[in-house]
Amino acid sequence: MSYLLATTESKVRWYKFSFGPELKPGVFELLEVLDLHQVPAFGDKETAKRAALALGLKVWRYVKI
């Protein structure tokens, strides 16, 4: 199982970004369609949460894939 970061809107959009030690707030793109080749997946919620906080996201949704 993996975790992805998505918006909490009724029409879910997906956060696309390059995952690594240099995550920066606001450096992401919102995708309207989920392409699993474009979005990073995480092995656990804690890692996904750290990425979301490093990107400066105020709200997000965990999605199990």
Side-chain angles (χ1 to χ4, degrees):
M1 180 180 345
S2 298
Y3 294 87
L4 307 177
L5 298 174
T7 65
T8 57
E9 302 158 346
S10 59
K11 291 186 177 181
V12 176
R13 295 183 296 161
W14 308 91
Y15 292 104
K16 175 186 173 185
F17 56 95
S18 296
F19 182 66
E22 299 299 320
L23 291 177
K24 295 186 178 21
V27 182
F28 59 84
E29 177 184 348
L30 285 173
L31 301 177
E32 300 292 328
V33 176
L34 176 59
D35 178 345
L36 290 174
H37 296 287
Q38 293 192 49
V39 296
F42 304 96
D44 56 56
K45 279 186 172 181
E46 185 57 34
T47 305
K49 178 181 178 179
R50 288 196 313 263
L53 294 173
L55 289 169
L57 303 180
K58 301 296 183 207
V59 295
W60 65 88
R61 169 181 294 170
Y62 298 108
V63 178
K64 294 180 190 178
I65 299 292

